[in-house]
Amino acid sequence: MATYHDAAFGCGDGGSGDDEQEEHVMQGMGDKGKGGRRKRHNITMEELRQLFPLPRSQAAAMLQMSDNCLKRWCRKLGISRWPYRKIASLDALSQALAAEDNTENEALLQAVAQERAKVLQCPDAPLDDDLLLVRSSTYKDRHVRAGAGRGRSTARRPGAGRGRAGRGAG
């Protein structure tokens, strides 16, 4: 039976070549219902993929299970961390690149779209190093502009950050 694990990133079809991975249904785990009996949940990887753009708590609520139950299912399916933040970061990067008027951004937008598709397919796959650099520089630019727009200064005020030693005695 094909599993969701691959030697590289914990993803893939296990080399079987069939779509057994997509049809893999997990049963038996669930929150306790009335009378202490466990509810049965059937979750496919495809159902989880549709919920990746949501925070884990919202996804769990949509599946009518607790956060911890969803985490257990994810671990069984080979997902070590819920990919919402990674996808949200890629979406924010895509929006920032689309807002700029730059011809180089077309290639970056395609790379971001491919990376987002890769994360949806395999949530544990690491992001491309080049995109990490672009993401961090875009994030920094956005926050520098936001700080400058609010009249903030990068200079420290006198006595800041020294705790009690910077204050007067008494």
Side-chain angles (χ1 to χ4, degrees):
M1 173 183 226
T3 64
Y4 191 65
H5 291 286
D6 179 80
F9 304 116
C11 304
D13 63 359
S16 67
D18 58 2
D19 288 338
E20 206 171 330
Q21 166 193 350
E22 298 298 325
E23 300 301 321
H24 186 71
V25 176
M26 308 273 308
Q27 296 179 359
M29 290 177 49
D31 296 330
K32 289 184 179 180
K34 291 183 179 180
R37 289 180 280 127
R38 288 186 176 262
K39 298 178 189 174
R40 295 192 71 114
H41 295 288
N42 296 329
I43 302 171
T44 63
M45 187 53 110
E46 192 55 41
E47 288 173 320
L48 284 181
R49 278 194 188 104
Q50 293 173 3
L51 299 174
F52 286 164
L54 298 174
R56 187 182 63 232
S57 58
Q58 287 181 9
M62 290 190 72
L63 292 170
Q64 298 179 347
M65 63 175 59
S66 69
D67 285 356
N68 286 334
C69 183
L70 178 59
K71 280 196 266 187
R72 285 193 304 263
W73 280 111
C74 288
R75 300 302 181 271
K76 281 193 171 249
L77 290 171
I79 302 168
S80 63
R81 183 175 176 183
W82 190 253
Y84 164 72
R85 292 174 66 117
K86 194 183 286 190
I87 291 171
S89 174
L90 289 171
D91 289 344
L93 177 60
S94 180
Q95 289 176 356
L97 290 173
E100 294 178 7
D101 227 6
N102 192 342
T103 57
E104 294 176 5
N105 287 353
E106 293 300 320
L108 285 173
L109 283 169
Q110 282 184 334
V112 170
Q114 289 174 352
E115 197 70 24
R116 188 179 193 281
K118 186 172 87 171
V119 169
L120 287 174
Q121 186 64 32
C122 179
D124 289 336
L127 292 180
D128 184 49
D129 290 339
D130 294 334
L131 279 182
L132 287 174
L133 291 173
V134 172
R135 182 178 70 167
S136 64
S137 67
T138 304
Y139 178 82
K140 184 176 180 181
D141 290 344
R142 185 175 62 234
H143 286 283
V144 166
R145 280 192 304 257
R150 289 186 236 155
R152 291 186 180 176
S153 169
T154 57
R156 292 173 43 130
R157 66 179 197 276
R162 287 188 267 179
R164 290 192 161 288
R167 297 183 188 152

